Amino acid sequence: MKLACDLHLHSCLSPCGDDDMTPANIAGMASVKGLGAAALTDHNSAKNCPAFFKACEAYGVLPIAGMEMTTAEDIHVVALFPDLASAMEFDRFIDEKRVRVRNRPDIFGRQRIMDEQDRQIAEEPDLLINALSLDIAAATESARSFGALVYPAHIDKEANGIIAVLGMIPPEPVYTCFEFHDRANVETYREKYALGGAKAVISSDAHYLWDIAEGETALRVECPETGSADARRRAVLESFL
Ligand SMILES: [Zn+2]
Ligand SMILES: [Zn+2]
């Protein structure tokens, strides 16, 4: 079966994510919009993924744990993990690679860690959107070593897109897919930047509930209807290899 997916979503843990983007609200909205799978990809953190998993399971949406890393070059790269445990292990690894700057909630926004019932359990004190001490090659390789599918985020956007930053797609690291914000850009970019047969991931990069993709027009991936959640998640990730 084809599963409607939105694989790039920010919760209220991302400073730029709306306060209403709690894990439970995202899961509920994903269900209302008819999505079969949804990935939580906060900036440089996976700490809202445990609550997101529980909430998605209650709503019957397949949850995927992810992270949007900011590389040392200021390029955004998405990592999607095959299971929650790998994502949380990677989160601990990334915590050591963060450049610590105190968050200023009045300027950047709050960074709230929630439980599945929308209760705040902690607030991340250090800013999450600044660059990690990992360049794009190291960030990609590290996430892959935790089993993740890794690809450059919103390559058709000015802010933090790999092409906007580097002016091209470098030959290394090699990616099997690239993320686009706008489906209409895929073929133009494929030709102009020699993307060859790489697959396109179309995601909303939602920071507000209303920006989450609509099931009818969302990206669709092949995924078995039955089987364990881990097996179904693996099928989603493998469809981009
Ligand atoms: Zn981004
Ligand atoms: Zn994003």
Side-chain angles (χ1 to χ4, degrees), residues 68 76 154 205:
E68 181 175 28
H76 284 182
H154 44 67
D205 195 3

Side-chain angles (χ1 to χ4, degrees), residues 18-231:
D18 190 45
D19 264 356
D20 283 341
M21 288 291 267
T22 62
N25 280 350
I26 297 171
M29 188 58 90
S31 163
V32 166
K33 290 198 169 202
L35 293 175
L40 187 61
T41 53
D42 281 309
H43 293 292
N44 295 339
S45 179
K47 292 185 181 64
N48 265 345
C49 287
F52 181 64
F53 264 54
K54 285 191 189 150
C56 278
E57 281 154 13
Y59 282 105
V61 174
L62 181 70
I64 296 171
M67 187 185 291
E68 181 175 28
M69 297 180 280
T70 306
T71 71
E73 304 91 335
D74 259 329
I75 298 166
H76 284 182
V77 173
V78 170
L80 301 180
F81 295 86
D83 52 65
L84 181 60
S86 315
M88 299 320 289
E89 233 178 280
F90 187 69
D91 180 82
R92 287 190 284 279
F93 167 83
I94 282 295
D95 269 345
E96 302 300 313
K97 307 295 176 194
R98 287 169 57 199
V99 177
R100 298 286 172 167
V101 182
R102 208 76 177 162
N103 183 29
R104 287 276 313 270
D106 53 325
I107 297 173
F108 300 110
R110 295 175 69 192
Q111 302 183 145
R112 303 161 69 212
I113 301 172
M114 313 294 287
D115 72 9
E116 71 279 12
Q117 285 166 337
D118 272 356
R119 289 178 298 223
Q120 182 174 317
I121 49 175
E123 189 152 352
E124 169 62 50
D126 295 328
L127 190 61
L128 286 166
I129 45 171
N130 54 321
L132 299 166
S133 61
L134 294 172
D135 65 16
I136 188 166
T140 300
E141 202 178 300
S142 316
R144 282 178 179 161
S145 75
F146 285 76
L149 169 72
V150 187
Y151 50 87
H154 44 67
I155 68 166
D156 52 342
K157 270 195 196 170
E158 271 300 311
N160 308 101
I162 189 169
I163 293 168
V165 174
L166 301 179
M168 55 157 190
I169 304 283
E172 299 278 335
V174 174
Y175 295 103
T176 57
C177 58
F178 293 91
E179 188 195 71
F180 291 81
H181 182 65
D182 187 348
R183 194 184 302 268
N185 288 329
V186 175
E187 290 317 315
T188 320
Y189 275 64
R190 187 183 297 288
E191 203 170 313
K192 191 166 174 193
Y193 298 102
L195 304 183
K199 299 188 173 135
V201 185
I202 320 290
S203 303
S204 72
D205 195 3
H207 289 69
Y208 295 87
L209 286 169
W210 53 82
D211 287 332
I212 295 173
E214 298 284 343
E216 275 181 21
T217 49
L219 173 76
R220 283 180 181 268
V221 300
E222 197 59 54
C223 177
E225 215 161 330
T226 54
S228 72
D230 277 342

